Amino acid sequence: MNLASAQALRGAPVWTRSGVEVGALEDLELDVDTGKLHHIQVRHGGWLKLVGVSHITVPWAQIIELTPQKVIIADAFVRELEVASSPLGSPIVPSSV
């Protein structure tokens, strides 16, 4: 069994599987009835800029790896967020400036 406290996980960098920095783990929420992790809250960082949003909620099903050193989430989840937050309904891509 591999255990980590919530305090140890806070601040861990959050990346997509393909290596895009999303932000840092801010908080996590547990289902008190089952004791299972329900989702994590991520504070934005890196190039992911969602209009008017400073935190995103990542459901457990989208978390690939969760350690005090890093959190890896599914690329598809970030793409869905980008499309949903874009005023034109198209993905937000990082600028090369």
Side-chain angles (χ1 to χ4, degrees):
M1 183 181 306
N2 192 5
L3 300 174
S5 70
Q7 185 65 27
L9 294 169
R10 280 196 186 96
V14 179
W15 299 81
T16 65
R17 178 176 260 166
S18 63
V20 175
E21 181 182 8
V22 177
L25 192 144
E26 180 81 7
D27 205 358
L28 47 93
E29 294 194 19
L30 303 172
D31 180 326
V32 294
D33 293 328
T34 65
K36 294 182 180 181
L37 180 63
H38 190 265
H39 63 267
I40 61 172
Q41 293 288 325
V42 177
R43 182 180 59 248
H44 283 278
W47 64 265
L48 183 65
K49 306 295 183 211
L50 300 175
V51 179
V53 179
S54 61
H55 291 81
I56 57 172
T57 300
V58 180
W60 174 248
Q62 300 298 322
I63 300 170
I64 296 167
E65 181 179 345
L66 178 66
T67 70
Q69 293 77 31
K70 66 182 173 191
V71 180
I72 306 295
I73 64 174
D75 290 306
F77 178 72
V78 173
R79 282 193 295 274
E80 288 174 18
L81 286 175
E82 291 172 331
V83 169
S85 69
S86 174
L88 301 177
S90 59
I92 300 169
V93 289
S95 66
S96 57
V97 179

Coordinates of all heavy atoms in Angstrom, one line a residue:
M1 N 0.8 -1.2 0.0 CA 0.0 0.0 0.0 C 0.9 1.2 0.0 O 1.9 1.3 0.7 CB -0.9 0.0 1.2 CG -1.8 1.1 1.3 SD -2.9 1.2 2.7 CE -3.7 -0.4 2.7
N2 N 0.5 2.2 -0.8 CA 1.3 3.4 -0.9 C 0.4 4.6 -0.5 O -0.6 4.9 -1.1 CB 1.7 3.6 -2.4 CG 2.8 4.7 -2.5 OD1 3.2 5.3 -1.5 ND2 3.1 5.1 -3.7
L3 N 0.7 5.2 0.7 CA -0.1 6.3 1.2 C 0.6 7.6 1.2 O 1.8 7.7 1.3 CB -0.5 5.9 2.7 CG -1.2 4.7 3.0 CD1 -1.3 4.4 4.5 CD2 -2.6 4.7 2.3
A4 N -0.2 8.7 1.0 CA 0.4 10.0 1.1 C -0.7 10.9 1.7 O -1.9 10.8 1.5 CB 0.7 10.6 -0.3
S5 N -0.2 11.9 2.6 CA -1.2 12.8 3.2 C -1.6 13.8 2.2 O -0.9 14.1 1.2 CB -0.6 13.4 4.4 OG 0.4 14.4 4.0
A6 N -2.8 14.4 2.4 CA -3.3 15.5 1.6 C -2.2 16.7 1.6 O -2.0 17.3 0.6 CB -4.6 16.0 2.0
Q7 N -1.6 16.9 2.7 CA -0.6 18.0 2.8 C 0.6 17.7 1.9 O 1.1 18.6 1.3 CB -0.2 18.1 4.3 CG 0.8 19.3 4.5 CD 0.1 20.6 4.3 OE1 -1.1 20.8 4.4 NE2 0.9 21.6 3.9
A8 N 1.0 16.4 1.8 CA 2.1 16.1 1.0 C 1.8 16.2 -0.5 O 2.7 16.5 -1.3 CB 2.5 14.6 1.3
L9 N 0.5 16.1 -0.9 CA 0.1 16.2 -2.3 C -0.1 17.6 -2.7 O 0.1 17.9 -3.9 CB -1.2 15.4 -2.5 CG -1.1 13.9 -2.3 CD1 -2.5 13.2 -2.3 CD2 -0.2 13.2 -3.4
R10 N -0.5 18.5 -1.8 CA -0.8 19.9 -2.2 C 0.5 20.5 -2.8 O 1.6 20.4 -2.3 CB -1.2 20.7 -1.0 CG -2.7 20.5 -0.7 CD -3.2 21.5 0.3 NE -4.6 21.2 0.6 CZ -4.9 20.5 1.7 NH1 -4.0 20.2 2.6 NH2 -6.1 20.2 2.0
G11 N 0.2 21.2 -3.9 CA 1.3 21.9 -4.6 C 2.1 21.0 -5.6 O 2.9 21.5 -6.4
A12 N 1.7 19.7 -5.7 CA 2.4 18.9 -6.7 C 2.0 19.4 -8.1 O 0.9 19.8 -8.4 CB 1.9 17.4 -6.5
P13 N 3.0 19.4 -9.0 CA 2.7 19.9 -10.3 C 1.8 18.9 -11.1 O 1.9 17.7 -10.9 CB 4.1 19.9 -11.0 CG 5.0 19.0 -10.2 CD 4.4 19.0 -8.8
V14 N 0.9 19.5 -11.9 CA -0.1 18.7 -12.6 C 0.3 18.8 -14.1 O 0.4 19.9 -14.6 CB -1.5 19.1 -12.4 CG1 -2.5 18.3 -13.2 CG2 -1.8 19.0 -10.9
W15 N 0.5 17.7 -14.8 CA 0.8 17.6 -16.2 C -0.1 16.7 -16.9 O -0.8 15.8 -16.3 CB 2.2 17.0 -16.3 CG 3.3 17.8 -15.7 CD1 3.6 17.8 -14.3 CD2 4.2 18.7 -16.3 NE1 4.7 18.7 -14.1 CE2 5.0 19.3 -15.3 CE3 4.3 19.2 -17.6 CZ2 6.0 20.2 -15.5 CZ3 5.3 20.1 -17.8 CH2 6.2 20.6 -16.8
T16 N -0.2 16.9 -18.2 CA -0.9 15.9 -19.0 C 0.0 14.8 -19.3 O 1.2 14.9 -19.2 CB -1.4 16.5 -20.4 OG1 -0.3 16.9 -21.2 CG2 -2.3 17.7 -20.1
R17 N -0.5 13.7 -19.8 CA 0.3 12.5 -20.2 C 1.3 12.9 -21.2 O 2.4 12.4 -21.2 CB -0.6 11.4 -20.7 CG 0.2 10.2 -21.1 CD -0.6 9.1 -21.5 NE -0.7 8.2 -20.4 CZ -1.5 7.2 -20.2 NH1 -2.5 7.0 -21.1 NH2 -1.5 6.4 -19.1
S18 N 1.0 13.9 -22.1 CA 1.9 14.2 -23.2 C 2.9 15.3 -22.8 O 3.7 15.8 -23.6 CB 1.1 14.7 -24.4 OG 0.4 15.9 -24.1
G19 N 2.9 15.7 -21.5 CA 3.9 16.6 -21.0 C 3.5 18.1 -20.9 O 4.4 19.0 -20.8
V20 N 2.2 18.5 -21.1 CA 1.8 19.8 -21.0 C 1.5 20.2 -19.5 O 0.8 19.5 -18.8 CB 0.5 20.1 -21.8 CG1 0.0 21.5 -21.6 CG2 0.8 19.8 -23.3
E21 N 2.2 21.3 -19.0 CA 2.0 21.7 -17.7 C 0.6 22.3 -17.5 O 0.2 23.2 -18.3 CB 3.0 22.7 -17.2 CG 2.9 23.2 -15.8 CD 3.9 24.2 -15.4 OE1 4.6 24.7 -16.3 OE2 3.9 24.6 -14.2
V22 N -0.2 21.8 -16.6 CA -1.6 22.3 -16.3 C -1.6 23.3 -15.2 O -2.3 24.3 -15.2 CB -2.5 21.2 -16.1 CG1 -3.9 21.7 -15.8 CG2 -2.6 20.3 -17.4
G23 N -0.9 23.0 -14.1 CA -0.9 23.8 -12.9 C -0.4 23.0 -11.7 O 0.5 22.2 -11.8
A24 N -1.0 23.3 -10.5 CA -0.6 22.6 -9.3 C -1.8 22.1 -8.5 O -2.8 22.8 -8.5 CB 0.2 23.6 -8.4
L25 N -1.6 21.0 -7.9 CA -2.7 20.4 -7.1 C -3.0 21.4 -5.9 O -2.1 21.7 -5.1 CB -2.4 19.0 -6.6 CG -3.5 18.3 -6.0 CD1 -3.4 16.8 -6.3 CD2 -3.7 18.5 -4.5
E26 N -4.2 21.9 -5.9 CA -4.7 22.8 -4.8 C -5.4 22.1 -3.7 O -5.2 22.4 -2.5 CB -5.6 23.9 -5.4 CG -6.1 24.9 -4.5 CD -5.1 26.0 -4.2 OE1 -4.0 26.1 -4.9 OE2 -5.4 26.8 -3.3
D27 N -6.3 21.1 -4.0 CA -7.1 20.5 -3.0 C -7.6 19.2 -3.6 O -7.5 18.9 -4.8 CB -8.2 21.4 -2.6 CG -8.8 21.1 -1.2 OD1 -8.2 20.1 -0.6 OD2 -9.7 21.7 -0.8
L28 N -8.1 18.3 -2.8 CA -8.7 17.1 -3.2 C -9.9 16.8 -2.4 O -10.1 17.3 -1.2 CB -7.8 15.9 -3.1 CG -6.9 15.7 -1.9 CD1 -7.6 14.8 -0.9 CD2 -5.6 15.1 -2.3
E29 N -10.9 16.1 -3.0 CA -12.2 15.9 -2.3 C -12.4 14.4 -2.3 O -12.3 13.7 -3.3 CB -13.3 16.6 -2.9 CG -13.1 18.1 -2.7 CD -14.3 19.0 -3.0 OE1 -15.5 18.4 -3.0 OE2 -14.2 20.2 -3.2
L30 N -12.8 13.9 -1.1 CA -13.1 12.5 -0.9 C -14.6 12.3 -0.7 O -15.3 13.2 -0.2 CB -12.4 12.0 0.4 CG -10.9 12.1 0.4 CD1 -10.4 11.8 1.8 CD2 -10.2 11.3 -0.6
D31 N -15.1 11.1 -1.1 CA -16.4 10.7 -0.9 C -16.4 10.1 0.6 O -15.8 9.1 0.8 CB -16.9 9.7 -1.9 CG -18.3 9.2 -1.6 OD1 -18.7 9.1 -0.5 OD2 -19.0 8.9 -2.6
V32 N -17.0 10.8 1.5 CA -16.9 10.4 2.9 C -17.7 9.1 3.2 O -17.4 8.4 4.1 CB -17.4 11.5 3.9 CG1 -16.5 12.6 3.9 CG2 -18.8 11.9 3.6
D33 N -18.6 8.7 2.3 CA -19.3 7.4 2.4 C -18.4 6.3 2.0 O -18.5 5.2 2.7 CB -20.6 7.4 1.6 CG -21.6 8.4 2.2 OD1 -21.6 8.7 3.4 OD2 -22.4 9.0 1.3
T34 N -17.7 6.4 1.0 CA -16.8 5.3 0.5 C -15.4 5.5 0.8 O -14.6 4.5 0.8 CB -16.9 5.2 -1.1 OG1 -16.4 6.4 -1.6 CG2 -18.4 5.0 -1.5
G35 N -14.9 6.7 1.2 CA -13.5 6.9 1.5 C -12.7 7.0 0.2 O -11.4 7.2 0.3
K36 N -13.3 7.1 -1.0 CA -12.5 7.1 -2.2 C -12.4 8.6 -2.7 O -13.2 9.4 -2.5 CB -13.2 6.3 -3.3 CG -13.2 4.9 -3.0 CD -13.9 4.1 -4.1 CE -13.9 2.6 -3.8 NZ -14.4 1.8 -4.8
L37 N -11.3 8.8 -3.4 CA -11.0 10.2 -3.9 C -12.0 10.4 -5.1 O -12.2 9.6 -6.0 CB -9.6 10.2 -4.5 CG -9.2 11.5 -5.1 CD1 -9.2 12.7 -4.1 CD2 -7.8 11.4 -5.7
H38 N -12.7 11.5 -5.0 CA -13.7 11.9 -6.0 C -13.1 12.7 -7.1 O -13.3 12.5 -8.3 CB -14.9 12.6 -5.4 CG -16.0 12.7 -6.3 ND1 -16.2 13.9 -7.0 CD2 -17.0 11.9 -6.6 CE1 -17.3 13.8 -7.7 NE2 -17.8 12.5 -7.5
H39 N -12.4 13.8 -6.7 CA -11.7 14.7 -7.7 C -10.7 15.5 -7.0 O -10.6 15.6 -5.8 CB -12.7 15.6 -8.5 CG -13.5 16.5 -7.6 ND1 -14.7 16.2 -7.0 CD2 -13.1 17.7 -7.1 CE1 -15.1 17.2 -6.3 NE2 -14.2 18.2 -6.3
I40 N -9.9 16.2 -7.9 CA -8.9 17.1 -7.4 C -9.1 18.5 -7.9 O -9.7 18.6 -9.0 CB -7.4 16.7 -7.7 CG1 -7.2 16.6 -9.2 CG2 -7.1 15.4 -7.0 CD1 -5.7 16.4 -9.6
Q41 N -8.7 19.5 -7.2 CA -8.8 20.9 -7.7 C -7.4 21.3 -8.1 O -6.4 21.1 -7.4 CB -9.3 21.8 -6.6 CG -10.7 21.6 -6.2 CD -11.7 22.1 -7.2 OE1 -11.5 23.1 -7.9 NE2 -12.8 21.4 -7.3
V42 N -7.3 21.9 -9.3 CA -6.0 22.3 -9.9 C -6.0 23.8 -10.1 O -6.9 24.3 -10.7 CB -5.7 21.5 -11.2 CG1 -4.4 22.0 -11.8 CG2 -5.7 20.0 -11.0
R43 N -5.0 24.4 -9.5 CA -4.7 25.9 -9.8 C -4.0 26.0 -11.1 O -3.0 25.3 -11.3 CB -3.9 26.4 -8.6 CG -3.7 27.9 -8.7 CD -2.9 28.4 -7.5 NE -1.6 27.8 -7.4 CZ -1.2 26.9 -6.4 NH1 -2.0 26.6 -5.5 NH2 0.0 26.4 -6.4
H44 N -4.4 26.9 -12.0 CA -3.8 27.0 -13.3 C -2.4 27.4 -13.3 O -2.0 28.2 -12.4 CB -4.6 28.0 -14.1 CG -5.9 27.4 -14.7 ND1 -5.9 26.6 -15.8 CD2 -7.1 27.5 -14.2 CE1 -7.1 26.3 -16.0 NE2 -7.9 26.8 -15.0
G45 N -1.7 27.0 -14.2 CA -0.3 27.3 -14.5 C 0.1 26.9 -15.9 O -0.8 26.4 -16.6
G46 N 1.3 27.1 -16.3 CA 1.7 26.6 -17.6 C 1.0 27.4 -18.7 O 0.6 28.6 -18.5
W47 N 0.8 26.9 -19.9 CA 0.1 27.6 -21.0 C -1.4 27.5 -21.0 O -2.0 28.2 -21.7 CB 0.7 27.1 -22.3 CG 0.4 25.7 -22.7 CD1 1.2 24.6 -22.4 CD2 -0.7 25.2 -23.3 NE1 0.6 23.5 -22.9 CE2 -0.6 23.8 -23.4 CE3 -1.9 25.8 -23.8 CZ2 -1.5 23.0 -24.0 CZ3 -2.9 24.9 -24.3 CH2 -2.7 23.6 -24.4
L48 N -1.9 26.6 -20.2 CA -3.4 26.4 -20.3 C -4.1 27.6 -19.7 O -4.0 27.9 -18.5 CB -3.8 25.1 -19.5 CG -5.3 24.8 -19.5 CD1 -5.7 24.4 -20.9 CD2 -5.5 23.6 -18.5
K49 N -4.7 28.4 -20.5 CA -5.4 29.6 -20.1 C -6.9 29.5 -20.4 O -7.3 29.6 -21.5 CB -4.8 30.8 -20.8 CG -3.3 31.0 -20.7 CD -2.9 31.2 -19.2 CE -1.4 31.4 -19.2 NZ -0.8 31.0 -18.0
L50 N -7.7 29.2 -19.4 CA -9.1 29.1 -19.6 C -9.7 30.4 -19.1 O -9.5 30.8 -18.0 CB -9.7 27.9 -18.8 CG -9.1 26.5 -19.2 CD1 -9.6 25.5 -18.2 CD2 -9.4 26.2 -20.6
V51 N -10.5 31.0 -20.0 CA -11.0 32.3 -19.8 C -11.9 32.3 -18.5 O -12.8 31.6 -18.4 CB -11.9 32.8 -21.0 CG1 -12.5 34.1 -20.7 CG2 -11.0 32.8 -22.2
G52 N -11.6 33.2 -17.6 CA -12.4 33.4 -16.4 C -12.3 32.3 -15.3 O -13.1 32.3 -14.4
V53 N -11.4 31.4 -15.5 CA -11.3 30.3 -14.6 C -9.9 30.2 -14.0 O -8.9 30.2 -14.7 CB -11.6 28.9 -15.3 CG1 -11.5 27.7 -14.4 CG2 -13.0 29.0 -16.0
S54 N -9.8 30.1 -12.7 CA -8.5 30.0 -12.1 C -8.2 28.6 -11.5 O -7.1 28.3 -11.2 CB -8.3 31.1 -11.0 OG -9.3 30.8 -9.9
H55 N -9.3 27.8 -11.4 CA -9.1 26.5 -10.9 C -10.0 25.5 -11.8 O -11.0 26.0 -12.3 CB -9.7 26.3 -9.5 CG -8.8 27.0 -8.4 ND1 -8.9 28.3 -8.2 CD2 -7.9 26.5 -7.6 CE1 -8.1 28.6 -7.3 NE2 -7.4 27.6 -6.9
I56 N -9.5 24.3 -11.9 CA -10.3 23.3 -12.7 C -10.5 22.1 -11.7 O -9.7 21.8 -10.9 CB -9.7 22.9 -14.0 CG1 -8.3 22.4 -13.8 CG2 -9.7 24.1 -15.0 CD1 -7.7 21.8 -15.1
T57 N -11.6 21.4 -12.0 CA -11.9 20.2 -11.2 C -11.6 19.0 -12.1 O -12.1 18.9 -13.2 CB -13.3 20.2 -10.8 OG1 -13.6 21.3 -9.9 CG2 -13.7 18.9 -10.0
V58 N -10.7 18.1 -11.7 CA -10.4 17.0 -12.4 C -10.9 15.7 -11.8 O -10.5 15.4 -10.6 CB -8.8 16.8 -12.6 CG1 -8.5 15.6 -13.4 CG2 -8.2 18.1 -13.2
P59 N -11.9 15.0 -12.4 CA -12.5 13.8 -11.8 C -11.5 12.7 -11.7 O -10.5 12.6 -12.5 CB -13.6 13.5 -12.7 CG -13.4 14.3 -14.0 CD -12.4 15.3 -13.7
W60 N -11.7 11.8 -10.7 CA -10.8 10.7 -10.5 C -10.5 9.9 -11.8 O -9.4 9.5 -12.0 CB -11.3 9.8 -9.4 CG -10.5 8.5 -9.2 CD1 -11.0 7.3 -9.5 CD2 -9.2 8.4 -8.8 NE1 -9.9 6.4 -9.2 CE2 -8.9 7.1 -8.8 CE3 -8.2 9.4 -8.3 CZ2 -7.6 6.6 -8.4 CZ3 -7.0 8.9 -7.9 CH2 -6.7 7.5 -8.0
A61 N -11.5 9.7 -12.6 CA -11.4 8.9 -13.8 C -10.4 9.5 -14.8 O -9.9 8.7 -15.7 CB -12.7 8.7 -14.5
Q62 N -10.0 10.8 -14.7 CA -9.1 11.4 -15.6 C -7.7 11.5 -15.0 O -6.8 11.9 -15.7 CB -9.6 12.8 -15.9 CG -10.9 12.9 -16.6 CD -10.9 12.1 -17.9 OE1 -10.0 12.2 -18.7 NE2 -12.0 11.4 -18.2
I63 N -7.5 11.0 -13.8 CA -6.2 11.0 -13.2 C -5.4 9.7 -13.5 O -5.9 8.6 -13.2 CB -6.3 11.2 -11.6 CG1 -7.0 12.5 -11.4 CG2 -4.9 11.2 -11.0 CD1 -7.4 12.7 -9.9
I64 N -4.3 9.8 -14.1 CA -3.5 8.7 -14.5 C -2.5 8.3 -13.4 O -2.3 7.1 -13.1 CB -2.8 9.0 -15.8 CG1 -3.8 9.2 -16.9 CG2 -1.8 7.8 -16.1 CD1 -3.2 9.8 -18.2
E65 N -1.9 9.3 -12.8 CA -0.9 9.1 -11.7 C -1.0 10.2 -10.7 O -1.2 11.4 -11.0 CB 0.5 9.1 -12.3 CG 1.6 8.8 -11.3 CD 3.0 8.8 -12.0 OE1 3.1 8.7 -13.2 OE2 4.0 8.9 -11.3
L66 N -0.9 9.8 -9.4 CA -1.0 10.8 -8.3 C 0.0 10.5 -7.3 O -0.1 9.5 -6.6 CB -2.4 10.8 -7.7 CG -2.7 11.7 -6.6 CD1 -2.7 13.1 -7.0 CD2 -4.1 11.3 -6.0
T67 N 1.1 11.3 -7.2 CA 2.1 11.2 -6.2 C 2.5 12.5 -5.6 O 2.1 13.5 -6.2 CB 3.4 10.5 -6.8 OG1 4.0 11.5 -7.7 CG2 3.1 9.3 -7.6
P68 N 3.2 12.6 -4.5 CA 3.6 13.9 -4.0 C 4.5 14.7 -5.0 O 4.6 15.9 -4.9 CB 4.3 13.6 -2.7 CG 3.7 12.3 -2.3 CD 3.5 11.5 -3.6
Q69 N 5.2 13.9 -5.9 CA 6.1 14.6 -6.8 C 5.4 15.1 -8.1 O 5.8 16.1 -8.7 CB 7.2 13.6 -7.3 CG 8.1 13.2 -6.2 CD 7.5 12.2 -5.2 OE1 6.7 11.3 -5.6 NE2 8.0 12.3 -4.0
K70 N 4.3 14.5 -8.5 CA 3.6 14.9 -9.7 C 2.2 14.3 -9.8 O 1.9 13.2 -9.2 CB 4.4 14.5 -11.0 CG 4.5 13.0 -11.2 CD 5.4 12.7 -12.4 CE 5.6 11.2 -12.4 NZ 6.6 10.8 -13.4
V71 N 1.4 14.9 -10.6 CA 0.0 14.4 -11.0 C 0.0 14.4 -12.5 O 0.3 15.4 -13.1 CB -1.1 15.3 -10.4 CG1 -2.4 14.7 -10.8 CG2 -1.0 15.4 -8.9
I72 N -0.4 13.3 -13.0 CA -0.6 13.1 -14.5 C -2.0 12.9 -14.8 O -2.7 12.1 -14.2 CB 0.2 11.9 -15.1 CG1 1.7 12.0 -14.6 CG2 0.1 11.9 -16.6 CD1 2.5 13.2 -15.2
I73 N -2.6 13.8 -15.7 CA -4.0 13.6 -16.1 C -4.1 13.3 -17.6 O -3.1 13.6 -18.3 CB -4.8 14.9 -15.7 CG1 -4.4 16.1 -16.5 CG2 -4.8 15.1 -14.2 CD1 -5.3 17.3 -16.3
A74 N -5.3 12.9 -18.0 CA -5.5 12.5 -19.4 C -5.5 13.7 -20.3 O -6.0 14.8 -20.0 CB -6.8 11.8 -19.5
D75 N -4.8 13.6 -21.4 CA -4.8 14.7 -22.4 C -6.2 15.0 -22.9 O -6.5 16.2 -23.1 CB -4.0 14.2 -23.7 CG -2.5 14.1 -23.4 OD1 -1.9 15.1 -22.9 OD2 -1.9 13.0 -23.6
A76 N -7.0 14.0 -23.1 CA -8.4 14.3 -23.6 C -9.2 15.2 -22.7 O -10.0 16.0 -23.1 CB -9.1 12.9 -23.8
F77 N -9.0 15.1 -21.4 CA -9.7 15.9 -20.4 C -9.3 17.4 -20.6 O -10.2 18.3 -20.7 CB -9.4 15.5 -19.0 CG -10.1 16.4 -18.0 CD1 -11.4 16.3 -17.8 CD2 -9.3 17.3 -17.2 CE1 -12.1 17.1 -16.8 CE2 -10.0 18.1 -16.3 CZ -11.3 18.0 -16.1
V78 N -8.1 17.7 -20.8 CA -7.6 19.1 -21.1 C -8.2 19.6 -22.4 O -8.6 20.7 -22.5 CB -6.1 19.2 -21.0 CG1 -5.6 20.6 -21.4 CG2 -5.6 18.9 -19.6
R79 N -8.2 18.8 -23.4 CA -8.7 19.2 -24.7 C -10.2 19.5 -24.6 O -10.7 20.5 -25.2 CB -8.5 18.1 -25.8 CG -7.1 18.1 -26.3 CD -6.9 17.2 -27.5 NE -7.2 15.8 -27.3 CZ -6.3 15.0 -26.9 NH1 -5.0 15.3 -26.6 NH2 -6.6 13.7 -26.7
E80 N -10.9 18.7 -23.8 CA -12.4 19.0 -23.6 C -12.5 20.4 -22.9 O -13.4 21.2 -23.3 CB -13.0 17.9 -22.8 CG -13.2 16.6 -23.5 CD -13.7 15.5 -22.6 OE1 -14.2 15.9 -21.5 OE2 -13.5 14.4 -22.9
L81 N -11.7 20.7 -22.0 CA -11.8 22.0 -21.3 C -11.5 23.1 -22.2 O -12.1 24.2 -22.1 CB -10.8 22.0 -20.1 CG -11.2 21.2 -18.9 CD1 -10.0 21.3 -17.9 CD2 -12.4 21.7 -18.2
E82 N -10.5 22.9 -23.0 CA -10.1 24.0 -24.0 C -11.2 24.3 -24.9 O -11.5 25.5 -25.2 CB -8.9 23.6 -24.8 CG -7.6 23.5 -23.9 CD -6.4 23.0 -24.6 OE1 -6.6 22.1 -25.5 OE2 -5.3 23.3 -24.3
V83 N -11.9 23.3 -25.5 CA -13.0 23.5 -26.4 C -14.1 24.2 -25.7 O -14.7 25.1 -26.2 CB -13.4 22.2 -27.1 CG1 -14.7 22.4 -27.8 CG2 -12.3 21.7 -28.0
A84 N -14.4 23.7 -24.5 CA -15.6 24.3 -23.8 C -15.3 25.8 -23.4 O -16.3 26.5 -23.3 CB -15.8 23.5 -22.5
S85 N -14.1 26.2 -23.2 CA -13.8 27.5 -22.7 C -13.5 28.5 -23.9 O -13.5 29.7 -23.7 CB -12.7 27.5 -21.7 OG -11.5 27.2 -22.4
S86 N -13.3 28.0 -25.0 CA -13.0 28.8 -26.2 C -14.3 29.5 -26.7 O -15.3 28.8 -26.9 CB -12.3 28.0 -27.3 OG -12.2 28.8 -28.4
P87 N -14.2 30.8 -26.9 CA -15.5 31.5 -27.4 C -15.9 31.0 -28.8 O -17.1 31.1 -29.1 CB -15.1 33.0 -27.5 CG -13.6 33.0 -27.4 CD -13.1 31.7 -26.7
L88 N -15.0 30.4 -29.5 CA -15.4 30.0 -30.9 C -15.6 28.4 -30.9 O -15.8 27.9 -32.0 CB -14.3 30.3 -31.9 CG -14.0 31.8 -32.0 CD1 -12.9 32.1 -33.0 CD2 -15.3 32.6 -32.5
G89 N -15.4 27.8 -29.8 CA -15.6 26.4 -29.7 C -14.5 25.6 -30.3 O -14.6 24.4 -30.6
S90 N -13.3 26.2 -30.5 CA -12.2 25.5 -31.0 C -11.1 25.5 -30.0 O -11.0 26.3 -29.1 CB -11.7 26.2 -32.3 OG -11.3 27.5 -32.0
P91 N -10.2 24.5 -30.1 CA -9.2 24.4 -29.0 C -8.3 25.6 -28.9 O -8.0 26.3 -29.9 CB -8.3 23.2 -29.5 CG -9.2 22.4 -30.4 CD -10.1 23.5 -31.1
I92 N -7.8 25.9 -27.7 CA -6.9 26.9 -27.4 C -5.5 26.3 -27.6 O -5.2 25.3 -27.0 CB -7.0 27.5 -26.0 CG1 -8.4 28.0 -25.8 CG2 -6.0 28.5 -25.6 CD1 -8.8 28.3 -24.3
V93 N -4.7 26.9 -28.4 CA -3.3 26.4 -28.6 C -2.3 27.4 -28.1 O -2.5 28.6 -28.1 CB -3.0 26.1 -30.1 CG1 -3.8 24.9 -30.5 CG2 -3.3 27.3 -30.9
P94 N -1.2 26.9 -27.5 CA -0.2 27.8 -27.0 C 0.4 28.6 -28.1 O 0.6 28.2 -29.2 CB 0.8 26.9 -26.3 CG 0.6 25.6 -27.0 CD -0.8 25.5 -27.4
S95 N 0.7 29.9 -27.8 CA 1.4 30.7 -28.8 C 2.9 30.4 -28.7 O 3.4 30.0 -27.7 CB 1.2 32.2 -28.5 OG 1.8 32.5 -27.3
S96 N 3.6 30.6 -29.8 CA 5.0 30.3 -29.9 C 5.8 31.6 -29.7 O 6.9 31.7 -30.1 CB 5.4 29.6 -31.2 OG 4.9 30.5 -32.3
V97 N 5.2 32.6 -29.1 CA 5.9 33.9 -28.9 C 6.9 33.8 -27.9 O 6.9 33.2 -26.9 CB 4.9 35.0 -28.5 CG1 5.6 36.3 -28.3 CG2 3.8 35.1 -29.6

